[in-house]
Amino acid sequence: GEDVEQSLFLSVREGDSSVINCTYTDSSSTYLYWYKQEPGAGLQLLTYIFSNMDMKQDQRLTVLLNKKDKHLSLRIADTQTGDSAIYFCAEPPSGGGADGLTFGKGTHLIIQP
Amino acid sequence: DTGVSQNPRHKITKRGQNVTFRCDPISEHNRLYWYRQTLGQGPEFLTYFQNEAQLEKSRLLSDRFSAERPKGSFSTLEIQRTEQGDSAMYLCASSSLAGEQYFGPGTRLTVT
């Protein structure tokens, strides 16, 4: 079965970089996703990376993919108080089907002033 | 288009009552997904539709849960004879055939 794992908490100082890590199990995953959830809200798609890429950069966000180790990371540069949220890593179903995504438990990003 | 919408945003019900939630997807999206999220967990996939066809429903939590998408546009999720363990956030998402999933704000259900 699929299992996506993340650390539960990350605390950083405002202005520093945040690095949120994720490991996944399905080597056939075509895309991998990062979502952001603020308190009481739904999930906001932040970014995604195709499996034939090693890195994707989008403004303050950098996604790194290590397929050999099945490791995905999200780096947020110049972390701001508005970045305080839960960040979820997600992978599609095995075999690239159209089933639902499998999510990790989420990493709570805590910003210290 | 303003994205995926869900109604109601909050629902409080007594144990044993039936509840129904509605999801309106992004208008050009063929696929619609339902997830449940409990406290401290990531969303858990329940079921999905492609147009009006329900292509996966084995992950629905029990036979008390059912979903419809009668005209391939909005969808409803019904929970019959609610139990306290059904208290959760119910999330809807939509996507195009080959695209990423966009989520609505969710419906928070509290069963007393």
Side-chain angles (χ1 to χ4, degrees), chain A residues 50-103:
Chain A
F50 189 53
S51 59
N52 68 353
M53 298 169 68
D54 297 323
M55 184 182 85
K56 179 180 179 182
Q57 188 155 0
D58 183 2
Q59 300 182 337
R60 291 192 297 123
L61 305 179
T62 303
V63 180
L64 295 178
L65 176 61
N66 180 331
K67 286 194 70 176
K68 175 176 169 289
D69 295 336
K70 297 179 187 171
H71 182 265
L72 183 71
S73 68
L74 174 69
R75 178 178 180 267
I76 306 172
D78 186 25
T79 309
Q80 303 297 309
T81 54
D83 295 324
S84 181
I86 305 174
Y87 291 81
F88 292 95
C89 169
E91 66 174 347
S94 302
D99 220 337
L101 299 173
T102 297
F103 286 83

Side-chain angles (χ1 to χ4, degrees), chain B residues 1-111:
Chain B
D1 186 76
T2 56
V4 180
S5 62
Q6 293 187 245
N7 287 288
R9 294 292 309 277
H10 303 273
K11 178 71 177 177
I12 300 174
T13 191
K14 292 185 177 180
R15 188 177 55 185
Q17 297 295 303
N18 299 343
V19 294
T20 301
F21 310 138
R22 175 176 171 131
C23 171
D24 288 88
I26 293 170
S27 57
E28 63 267 26
H29 284 179
N30 306 90
R31 289 188 177 148
L32 186 150
Y33 305 79
W34 284 100
Y35 292 80
R36 182 182 79 157
Q37 186 180 23
T38 53
L39 201 61
Q41 302 295 318
E44 174 189 11
F45 169 68
L46 297 179
T47 187
Y48 92 98
F49 295 84
Q50 182 165 307
N51 301 313
E52 65 274 9
Q54 190 173 11
L55 298 186
E56 172 57 65
K57 55 183 178 180
S58 66
R59 308 274 286 277
L60 285 167
L61 300 162
S62 78
D63 59 7
R64 298 184 296 105
F65 287 70
S66 63
E68 293 184 342
R69 194 183 184 197
K71 296 181 180 178
S73 56
F74 73 91
S75 175
T76 57
L77 177 70
E78 181 182 16
I79 309 173
Q80 296 182 328
R81 304 180 303 281
T82 52
E83 302 172 357
Q84 287 189 318
D86 297 332
S87 294
M89 175 82 92
Y90 290 85
L91 294 162
C92 175
S94 70
S95 74
S96 59
L97 281 178
E100 53 277 9
Q101 295 181 27
Y102 292 89
F103 283 78
T107 294
R108 181 165 295 283
L109 173 66
T110 302
V111 181

